[in-house]
Amino acid sequence: MFLKKTRVLGTLIVLTLIVSLLGGCGKKESVDSSNGGKDEKVAAKRLHLTMWSAQDTDYIASEVPKKNIVKSWLTKETNVDLDNIFGNGGGSLDSKLTQLLAADNLPHLLRTSALTHLTKLDEAEKLWTLTPEMLQEYAPHVWEKIPDYMWEQATIDGKIMGIPFNLGVQKGISDDISEKLYDAASLPNSDVMFAGHTSVWVRDDILKKIYPEAKTYDELVELLNEKNEPIGEEIMDVPIKTTQDYIDFFYKVKELNLKEGDKPVYAFGYNGGDNWMALSFFGADLMGYRGHYYTGSWDPINERVRLNLLEPIFKESALVQNRLIRDKVFEPESLVHTQAQFVEKVKNGLYACAILSYVGQPDIINKELKDAGKDFQYRPLYTQIPNKKEYPDYNERPTWYDMVGLLKTIKKDDLPQVLNWIDVQFTDEFEDVYYWGSKEDGLYIEENGKRKFNDEKFNKYFVDMDTSKSNLSEFEGLANDQCTVYTRFMLQSEYYPVVYNDNIKYLPTNMSGFKFKMSSPHVKDLQYFPPAHPWSPEFADIPELQEFWNARQQWEDPFKLVFVAKSDEEFEEKWQKATDTLKSVADIDKMLDQMTEIAKKEADKLKELNK
């Protein structure tokens, strides 16, 4: 049964075990979790690692705390330091990969969500691939906790390409997730917003000028504190119910002729990166295809994988945005911004609307605005534009958010130590330290199964969930994955303070209080779709897909150029050139046929979840 964690290994892993162990160790062994299950052997040699966080256009760490007791504890236990983390330098992932390969300047670790990036490194003989035996010996907690079907997804030609981590609190991951943790940490999709963090946020002062009945951020927070339950329905207080309503709203913003200082306020601005913000997040909200990315999605009507850049609605989405840019409703200059420029303009209020996930945590951003004396804050803008029937809202099938690959810049003899470093982060003891510090740190006392920090500032932030006057740099590295990327099993655990103390509070962010309840009609009827993204591990060995993905910058850039067209006619010419380029990099029809064949098989595994 798909919902249960089985002990049956995938075919490729079984074959590997048979060859290597002559039939031994054919199923997972339980790990002794006494003393946290931690390996007591600490290597004498200190390792210093670097990580390429390929998820990030340009990795920007949070302010580093003066004292990081979590990182210090992990280093003490493993003798491994993660010294440096970098992103794509403002460019695309593929460009950065080509640059690093050409310069022979690869880091030790690669963090990615796309298995194809690891297979490319494997082809270049730059990646250490893993085996079940290695993981069972040097990373037993990792081997035990990752569901078997995920190991199958991470395995190509009998080789495990990397280690999944940062699994979301979602169905199909583990039978051990408590209802308390699920209520506190899960983020259900809905037919109003997709995965929360991709939603559009709006300056509340500008919103009220156009829709006086709309609530301010503070009014939403007051309502949230009063109810202490998700208030997604109450945020649907803006009467934008069609694409034209949305467009009209943006023009009304322009007509206000607002300024911050001597600078004009635009209705929307981009972060200067790839097409993801424009076509996958904002465009989806604008046109009604939430959750369906331009790189690919599942077509439930025709039961096939489609490449949405070749679909009419995505062209229409780009054209509508191009017209808004031409009319200077959206800021034209933002198309070539750096990430830092985008963040600065959002924090200075130069955009009426923005996707705040590209900037940071919304409640912290709003705190910074208040501290800076601004007379506005950002609140979610949940429109009521329904998804088109051919692009229905849906749930993603359970998977990981990140995978870490071990590159051959790590010496072979050091692999066990690096695997142990990852393994320790999968233990209960690490989760305990991650949220509370070690007992030796003496940060808390425990009575009657509940904990209290000795410093009230810590209690207010972590236990009472009041983040209004604090930032993560003040808390000695606790629960701070932004300054050091930890390779933890799940994004939250049973040691999460509000879960540990049975004191669940809903935060004024779209990741908690501003979501929808599981019982909401906007949530409960959504179906699970099979994989359809080019980075989905099931498709990693399709040659045409590898050609398509490896040539991403070649076809990505022409689509970025369509937004600077000076007329509809020029837009048409640029769009045609972009689609021609896309079709030239690989046999797209063959690629989609092969992806569809695999996706249909995967759809059978989702039947239990869709009952």
Side-chain angles (χ1 to χ4, degrees), residues 192 202 204 207-208 210-217 219-220 223 231-241 379-384 516:
V192 176
V202 59
D204 55 7
L207 184 66
K208 285 191 78 68
I210 299 171
Y211 298 113
E213 69 276 18
K215 300 176 185 67
T216 65
Y217 177 78
E219 288 171 338
L220 288 175
L223 182 62
I231 59 169
E233 275 82 357
E234 282 80 1
I235 299 174
M236 295 169 61
D237 57 353
V238 179
I240 295 177
K241 300 184 179 182
R379 53 146 284 178
L381 180 62
Y382 290 169
T383 65
Q384 300 172 56
F516 289 81

Side-chain angles (χ1 to χ4, degrees), residues 276-431:
W276 207 255
M277 179 187 288
L279 292 179
S280 287
F281 294 160
F282 172 73
D285 199 44
L286 175 69
M287 304 300 296
Y289 57 81
R290 280 178 301 274
H292 296 264
Y293 304 146
Y294 66 86
T295 48
S297 74
W298 179 248
D299 177 353
I301 295 176
N302 298 300
E303 295 188 329
R304 66 180 182 92
V305 175
R306 59 192 162 198
L307 179 51
N308 286 317
L309 283 172
L310 302 176
E311 297 294 325
I313 193 172
F314 280 74
K315 179 181 178 181
E316 184 182 356
S317 176
L319 178 57
V320 169
Q321 292 179 66
N322 170 241
R323 289 170 175 166
L324 288 162
I325 292 167
R326 273 187 257 156
D327 290 344
K328 292 185 169 52
V329 178
F330 290 2
E331 186 188 26
E333 292 80 7
S334 68
L335 293 170
V336 293
H337 273 166
T338 64
Q339 177 70 13
Q341 288 174 312
F342 173 73
V343 170
E344 181 182 7
K345 288 194 173 183
V346 171
K347 290 186 176 181
N348 284 326
L350 296 180
Y351 302 137
C353 297
I355 297 181
L356 290 196
S357 63
Y358 282 83
V359 181
Q361 188 170 310
D363 56 338
I364 293 178
I365 294 169
N366 282 335
K367 172 190 172 296
E368 292 175 356
L369 292 173
K370 273 198 170 182
D371 290 346
K374 300 291 186 182
D375 57 0
F376 65 85
Q377 296 176 91
Y378 288 95
R379 53 146 284 178
L381 180 62
Y382 290 169
T383 65
Q384 300 172 56
I385 301 170
N387 267 29
K388 303 290 189 292
K389 65 178 182 179
E390 61 270 31
Y391 289 93
D393 297 280
Y394 68 97
N395 277 315
E396 294 270 14
R397 62 83 191 264
T399 187
W400 62 76
Y401 288 123
D402 292 296
M403 177 179 280
V404 59
L406 281 59
L407 277 58
K408 288 190 175 179
T409 42
I410 300 171
K411 294 179 181 179
K412 185 175 183 180
D413 290 345
D414 294 334
L415 278 175
Q417 188 176 350
V418 176
L419 286 170
N420 178 66
W421 173 74
I422 297 172
D423 193 63
V424 168
Q425 295 174 67
F426 270 61
T427 64
D428 287 347
E429 186 171 3
F430 177 76
E431 285 297 306

Side-chain angles (χ1 to χ4, degrees), residues 31-39 141 424 426-430:
V31 177
D32 181 6
S33 293
S34 60
N35 195 30
K38 174 173 60 68
D39 189 341
H141 300 92
V424 168
F426 270 61
T427 64
D428 287 347
E429 186 171 3
F430 177 76

Side-chain angles (χ1 to χ4, degrees), residues 51 65 82 135:
M51 174 184 282
L82 181 58
L135 291 164

